[in-house]
Amino acid sequence: MSQLGLSRIQLKRTVEYMQASLLRDVRLKELASVAGLSPSHFGRAFKASTGLTPHRWIVQRRVQLAQRLMRESGKSIVIAAQMAGFATQSHFTKAFRTMTGATPRAWLRDVGTGGVGTDRVHRKE
């Protein structure tokens, strides 16, 4: 019988590792090693378990971190993007828009007027 997703312990270890490594580039091979799987099997199993690819999971967490930095610490968009592990502001803006449906500037404007401001990433429907 083949396993579709990761075991609870594999998922827990992998997510903890990814969270601890959020600000650096993490390779699929590295994550697969943490779970004790081949890279191709790990990628499929992680997506089956979370609904996201490992890369998408990391980008989503980085966007959430940047949102908290901007909202709670008053960091500028550029500083929040850098502190959340994005190499460039354009990559951050693209990822932010993909995840939330708004640019960081529009999101900040909405947060300031009581609009969007939650910890969740808002997806475009």
Side-chain angles (χ1 to χ4, degrees), residues 54-72:
H55 176 74
R56 182 87 166 184
W57 188 95
I58 288 170
V59 170
Q60 187 177 64
R61 292 309 180 280
R62 287 178 177 175
V63 167
Q64 290 170 334
L65 173 58
Q67 284 177 310
R68 282 192 302 277
L69 290 168
M70 290 185 292
R71 186 182 62 249
E72 296 169 8

Side-chain angles (χ1 to χ4, degrees), residues 107-118 122:
W107 181 84
L108 273 174
R109 187 177 54 245
D110 289 346
V111 169
T113 60
V116 177
T118 69
H122 300 279

